[in-house]
Amino acid sequence: MPKYSELDIAGMKVKVSNLNKVFYPETGFTKQQMIDYYIRISPVLLPHLAGRPLTLKRYPNGVEKNFFYQKSCPSSRPEWMTTTPIWSESNNRETCYCIVDSLQALVWVANLAGLELHTSLSKQEDSKIPTMMVFDLDPGLPATIIECAKVALYLNELFMNANLKSYPKTSGSKGLQVYVPLNTPTDYNQTKELAYKVAQTLEAKYSNLVISKMNKKQREGKVFIDWSQNDEHKTTVCVYSLRAKEKPTVSTPVTWEEVEEAYKSKDSKQLFFTFDNILKRVDQIGDLFAPVLTTKQYL
């Protein structure tokens, strides 16, 4: 039987269970440590979750066992849990998404073994208006995050020439992601088309390193610029989310100087962050991704 207890979160009782369950067998990292991480990182995480439809990637028995994606906010949710309905064309009905806009809500979804937090590029007010454009850099073996760093630098150079600011973060897995904040009127047709053209432009210029095609057989030794994430029906892993790898890694914002230094030194460890060192990092330098929430730019 599940072992239940309650946490006092800002004066509200939130039920949690099975806190001693090991989620990362290689390190012994438990569910209790996972929830504790999300509580401690919440001051910088919550602004990036607030108002955004959330898809949970749930690992009820840890990272080495089966997982599932959950878009619909569970019917067992507490009455104070914020949700938003979004029309699903594939299901021909509305899907009611969770909105994590409080620490209590964050602890509640974490207790569901919602290890990975995947957010929409839109906010709940209008699911058809992205507030940002994203490029997910995925290396095809033997390429690594170091090759992704080089491609990210190419992207940054292109955006600087277009007078656009961009912000890099690690995926927490094997690649990098580059975000271009917009926070101005646009739509997914524009962002997706432009993202695709950007990927094609870099592929034409650096064909030995970059690929824009989705065919996995053609990706060997190259970096796939995934432009297709710019879609109202897709989500990307939220900054500061844990990832279900061998160790509790975190999708971490980095500076362009750090990306360049990692590429020059060929040291992938410089772009590898776990839950413990990200907490120290945030204490020291704050939220490098905060500008993504407020910077206004026009395509």
Side-chain angles (χ1 to χ4, degrees):
M1 293 291 291
K3 296 181 180 179
Y4 291 101
S5 57
E6 287 185 329
L7 297 179
D8 187 329
I9 306 296
M12 183 182 292
K13 300 293 185 181
V14 179
K15 186 177 289 187
V16 293
S17 62
N18 299 317
L19 295 180
N20 292 326
K21 181 177 287 187
V22 175
F23 273 14
Y24 291 80
E26 184 172 309
T27 63
F29 187 83
T30 65
K31 184 178 182 182
Q32 181 174 352
Q33 289 176 286
M34 184 264 284
I35 293 175
D36 179 68
Y37 164 75
Y38 277 129
I39 291 174
R40 294 169 66 190
I41 201 67
S42 63
V44 293
L45 170 60
L46 282 172
H48 297 281
L49 292 173
R52 295 188 185 276
L54 179 69
T55 296
L56 297 174
K57 193 174 182 182
R58 296 176 61 179
Y59 289 80
N61 295 300
V63 299
E64 294 183 353
K65 303 294 183 179
N66 292 338
F67 67 87
F68 61 97
Y69 286 94
Q70 184 162 15
K71 293 187 176 184
S72 182
C73 199
S75 59
S76 59
R77 62 184 179 270
E79 61 181 14
W80 46 259
M81 186 73 192
T82 303
T83 61
T84 187
I86 295 180
W87 182 259
S88 171
E89 295 176 358
S90 59
N91 296 319
N92 198 35
R93 62 176 175 81
E94 285 187 333
T95 297
C96 190
Y97 285 81
C98 293
I99 299 289
V100 174
D101 53 8
S102 68
L103 181 55
Q104 294 92 339
L106 178 58
V107 171
W108 184 76
V109 298
N111 184 63
L112 295 177
L115 194 68
E116 293 189 5
L117 308 172
H118 294 249
T119 48
S120 170
L121 298 181
S122 303
K123 304 200 79 172
Q124 66 187 106
E125 295 84 46
D126 195 331
S127 63
K128 297 186 181 299
I129 298 179
T131 65
M132 61 193 80
M133 185 167 56
V134 64
F135 297 82
D136 190 6
L137 308 183
D138 185 14
L141 293 176
T144 68
I145 197 170
I146 296 302
E147 283 72 26
C148 289
K150 184 60 175 176
V151 175
L153 292 169
Y154 288 148
L155 281 169
N156 185 43
E157 180 182 20
L158 186 152
F159 294 135
M160 285 194 299
N161 290 336
N163 294 315
L164 289 171
K165 295 180 180 178
S166 61
Y167 297 83
K169 73 178 177 75
T170 70
S171 68
S173 182
K174 57 184 178 178
L176 287 173
Q177 296 166 339
V178 177
Y179 282 63
V180 179
L182 299 173
N183 299 303
T184 52
T186 186
D187 60 47
Y188 281 103
N189 289 332
Q190 290 179 305
T191 57
K192 194 170 189 176
E193 181 180 0
L194 180 56
Y196 184 39
K197 288 181 178 179
V198 167
Q200 287 182 311
T201 297
L202 290 187
E203 180 182 37
K205 191 171 183 179
Y206 307 105
S207 59
N208 62 325
L209 179 61
V210 177
I211 187 167
S212 64
K213 303 175 183 65
M214 293 187 180
N215 190 332
K216 290 186 176 181
K217 292 181 179 179
Q218 299 180 39
R219 296 189 203 174
E220 184 177 343
K222 297 184 179 183
V223 175
F224 171 50
I225 299 180
D226 190 352
W227 47 270
S228 70
Q229 293 298 107
N230 297 282
D231 190 296
E232 65 178 294
H233 302 297
K234 292 191 177 183
T235 58
T236 55
V237 67
C238 189
V239 65
Y240 302 114
S241 173
L242 288 163
R243 300 306 306 269
K245 311 305 292 183
E246 294 81 4
K247 297 179 180 180
T249 56
V250 174
S251 180
T252 303
V254 290
T255 66
W256 282 116
E257 291 75 16
E258 288 176 309
V259 174
E260 186 171 14
E261 175 57 31
Y263 173 71
K264 287 181 177 179
S265 66
K266 302 296 187 286
D267 183 6
S268 61
K269 292 180 181 179
Q270 294 186 36
L271 297 173
F272 179 84
F273 301 91
T274 56
F275 78 100
D276 48 355
N277 51 37
I278 189 59
L279 289 167
K280 296 176 183 176
R281 178 179 171 87
V282 168
D283 284 342
Q284 293 170 353
I285 63 177
D287 179 15
L288 293 176
F289 238 50
V292 174
L293 300 174
T294 57
T295 299
K296 292 185 177 182
Q297 303 184 116
Y298 292 87
L299 296 181

